[in-house]
Amino acid sequence: YATLADKDWQLALQQLCEEVDAVHLTQTQSPRAVHLDDLIHYTSSTLKDVPFRSHSSSSEAFAEGLKSAQQSEGSLFVLGSITLLGEAMEFFSIPVFPEQGSTLS
C-alpha cells in the first residue's frame, strides 16, 4: 500500500486492513506520496492488530508481497494511488495498451 498525501489515506488504510491478512507498506516516487515513516507510524500505533512489513521501494514491496502470497497460496492486491498502480504495471511488465504491447517505460 502506498498513496498520496492529499488523499484520506488513514481511512483508506484502516478499511483495507479490515479486509486483508497482512499489508506491505511502501512509498511511491511521486513528490506527493505519503512518506513511508508516516505509514509505518500510523499502522503501528492505530492498526495494532494488523501484521505489516515496510519496504523502501515499491519494487521491493511487489517482490516481497508476491513471495508472501505464493507461500500462503493467497493473492497479491496492489492498492493505493494511481502512481503505485503505474509502478506495479512497470514492475510486472503489464502493457499500457495491450494491443500495441507498449509498457510505461
Side-chain angles (χ1 to χ4, degrees), residues 35-80:
H35 292 274
L36 181 57
D37 290 340
D38 293 333
L39 291 171
I40 294 168
H41 180 266
Y42 179 77
T43 305
S44 62
S45 64
T46 307
L47 307 172
K48 297 177 183 177
D49 295 333
V50 179
F52 73 92
R53 294 192 56 197
S54 61
H55 307 279
S56 59
S57 70
S58 60
S59 59
E60 179 185 306
F62 301 142
E64 288 297 315
L66 187 59
K67 182 176 165 184
S68 295
Q70 290 171 334
Q71 289 174 344
S72 66
E73 296 183 14
S75 299
L76 172 66
F77 295 93
V78 177
L79 302 170

Side-chain angles (χ1 to χ4, degrees), residues 72-103:
S72 66
E73 296 183 14
S75 299
L76 172 66
F77 295 93
V78 177
L79 302 170
S81 69
I82 191 73
T83 55
L84 183 64
L85 178 60
E87 291 178 19
M89 290 177 71
E90 186 174 338
F91 179 84
F92 291 108
S93 299
I94 299 171
V96 177
F97 302 104
E99 64 280 359
Q100 297 173 1
S102 63
T103 60

